[in-house]
Amino acid sequence: MTKISIALPVYNGANFIKEAIESILTQDYKDFELVIVDNASKDETFLIADSFAQKDNRVKLFSFEEHLGQVDNVNRAARMCTNEWIHFFCHDDIMLQGCMKNVVETIEKVKDKTDIALISHKPAWLFMNDIVKVPFNEINGKTIFDYKEFTELSKISEINFVVHQKEQTAQNIINGKGPYLPALTTAIVKKEVFNLLGTFDNKYIHFDVFLWMKLVKTFSYLELSKALTLTRIHGSQVAVDARKSLRTVEDNKVFWNQYLKFVVDKPTLKQKAFVFLKPITTAIGIMAVTTIRFGLFNGIKIIGKLPIHWIPFVLVYFPKRYKSELNNKRELEKKVPIELIYP
């Protein structure tokens, strides 16, 4: 039988960690370990986690006086896990009922499991006013729900899966046709392969997706069709800081050039162009969000932080991305205030 560890690294997570732990321990599938690694928190995080560890022997709580960076603490949490598979989790997210059961049952259904090293399920976003957005898969023709409505519907939705074959997936990514790749909370990885690849690289803010991109060159990837966790959207997220600082643009600029060399020996002109445009389109996405949230002047200010030779591409591609983001905002703002959509 498949054995899974849930790795929950946390720093100063007292605001949400109780709800996260409860959502895990009340799963209808019970045979897992929950590994919580407290990164020298200064709030009540340890006391809250310890209250669960005292009552449930599946909870393995570790606390360290040395504070590490986020990525290093995630790697530390993975090292503490003892099972074959690791489901990463964040203290501010929620595990939906049936998550563990669906993951384990799907692994058992696959005839040749030896080649699969990564599993994902679809994301769903939980805004701070308890509205849920399911961006990649409709339920009864809808993608926006009240929290209680979504949790009920998610229990009865049929779940399917597809296996993306190794090497071909990496080729598809470099050709701009890659599949959805999971963020931290929507990923389950084989621990042996995670260690083989060198774990997460603390140079990158997108350390999770960047590692999965490397993984799919050598191992297959199983993608589930249903959202099994909720990612909470709030202003303290690392992704929000990355958007405001433009660090994500620099990360994409460095990583994609390395990835092109990693996947192909003699890249085509089209592949080179795709890689060149990745950090530019990332910057354009940030400009679109900033313009919608804070006005055109603040969006234009971002151009001054970009290389001059990027500007013609920004002018060409920005209108389409802005229109797309505006459509997304219009759909959501019927239920979610703009300051909660883009904290």
Side-chain angles (χ1 to χ4, degrees):
M1 177 62 74
T2 302
K3 295 286 188 179
I4 294 184
S5 299
I6 301 165
L8 201 168
V10 58
Y11 173 67
N12 286 352
N15 50 353
F16 299 120
I17 194 170
K18 181 176 184 291
E19 191 174 3
I21 295 173
E22 287 176 342
S23 73
I24 295 168
L25 296 182
T26 55
Q27 290 289 305
D28 47 10
Y29 179 82
K30 306 294 184 183
D31 189 15
F32 59 83
E33 66 172 2
L34 170 58
V35 177
I36 303 173
V37 177
D38 178 30
N39 192 14
S41 293
K42 297 176 181 178
D43 61 6
E44 303 296 309
T45 295
F46 178 82
L47 293 176
I48 295 170
D50 189 54
S51 69
F52 288 96
Q54 296 296 328
K55 295 181 289 187
D56 194 321
N57 61 13
R58 293 175 298 173
V59 179
K60 312 294 173 58
L61 176 60
F62 300 90
S63 183
F64 295 88
E65 294 183 1
E66 179 189 10
H67 177 78
L68 302 180
Q70 181 206 14
V71 181
D72 291 329
N73 194 47
V74 175
N75 286 331
R76 181 162 63 181
R79 288 197 301 271
M80 301 296 177
C81 294
T82 63
N83 288 327
E84 177 186 11
W85 291 90
I86 302 172
H87 191 313
F88 291 101
F89 208 69
C90 297
H91 83 277
D92 49 357
D93 295 341
I94 295 172
M95 185 173 286
L96 295 168
Q97 188 57 254
C99 175
M100 287 291 95
K101 182 173 182 288
N102 277 312
V103 169
V104 171
E105 288 183 352
T106 303
I107 294 173
E108 296 299 324
K109 287 178 186 176
V110 179
K111 292 181 180 180
D112 183 12
K113 295 184 278 289
T114 58
D115 193 44
I116 295 173
L118 178 67
I119 302 168
S120 77
H121 43 82
K122 289 290 195 292
W125 305 328
L126 174 62
F127 296 93
M128 293 299 288
N129 63 341
D130 286 341
I131 295 297
V132 174
K133 164 79 172 178
V134 190
F136 297 118
N137 56 316
E138 294 183 348
I139 302 174
N140 296 340
K142 293 173 56 179
T143 60
I144 300 175
F145 306 88
D146 293 327
Y147 174 68
K148 289 184 179 179
E149 177 190 14
F150 176 75
T151 53
E152 287 301 316
L153 287 172
S154 67
K155 293 178 184 177
I156 59 176
S157 300
E158 182 180 355
I159 189 162
N160 301 307
F161 67 89
V162 60
V163 176
H164 302 282
Q165 299 300 321
K166 62 184 178 183
E167 180 59 40
Q168 184 58 52
T169 305
Q171 293 288 337
N172 288 341
I173 289 172
I174 215 71
N175 288 313
K177 302 175 182 178
Y180 162 78
L181 288 174
L184 200 64
T185 302
T186 55
I188 305 98
V189 66
K190 190 173 287 186
K191 182 176 180 180
E192 179 183 9
V193 173
F194 178 72
N195 291 331
L196 180 68
L197 292 174
T199 68
F200 294 124
D201 191 335
N202 62 16
K203 292 199 305 289
Y204 300 117
I205 202 162
H206 300 295
F207 58 88
D208 43 10
V209 177
F210 287 172
L211 183 66
W212 310 146
M213 288 170 62
K214 291 174 61 179
L215 181 150
V216 296
K217 186 175 188 297
T218 315
F219 300 92
S220 296
Y221 156 48
L222 189 154
E223 181 185 2
L224 296 170
S225 65
K226 179 180 171 184
L228 299 177
T229 58
L230 290 174
T231 299
R232 199 185 302 265
I233 305 300
H234 60 89
S236 299
Q237 289 176 299
V238 173
V240 174
D241 290 336
R243 185 186 79 216
K244 294 177 179 178
S245 68
L246 296 184
R247 180 182 164 186
T248 181
V249 177
E250 289 303 314
D251 278 8
N252 275 275
K253 184 178 179 182
V254 173
F255 177 81
W256 277 94
N257 280 298
Q258 295 177 348
Y259 190 65
L260 180 62
K261 297 174 184 176
F262 178 71
V263 175
V264 292
D265 293 327
K266 296 180 179 179
T268 65
L269 186 61
K270 183 178 179 180
Q271 290 170 335
K272 290 179 180 179
F274 175 74
V275 167
F276 170 74
L277 285 172
K278 281 302 292 185
I280 301 176
T281 55
T282 300
I284 290 170
I286 294 173
M287 282 183 59
V289 168
T290 303
T291 301
I292 291 170
R293 177 69 174 89
F294 300 106
L296 180 61
F297 176 73
N298 287 288
I300 291 174
K301 278 171 48 176
I302 293 174
I303 294 179
K305 301 177 182 179
L306 304 178
I308 294 175
H309 65 280
W310 285 14
I311 295 177
F313 300 97
V314 171
L315 296 176
V316 169
Y317 290 104
F318 176 78
K320 182 178 180 181
R321 179 58 188 270
Y322 176 76
K323 183 178 179 180
S324 173
E325 197 65 46
L326 201 61
N327 289 336
N328 176 60
K329 189 264 297 188
R330 284 172 179 160
E331 180 188 20
L332 264 175
E333 68 180 348
K334 297 173 185 177
K335 295 254 185 171
V336 185
I338 190 170
E339 65 270 16
L340 299 185
I341 300 174
Y342 306 114

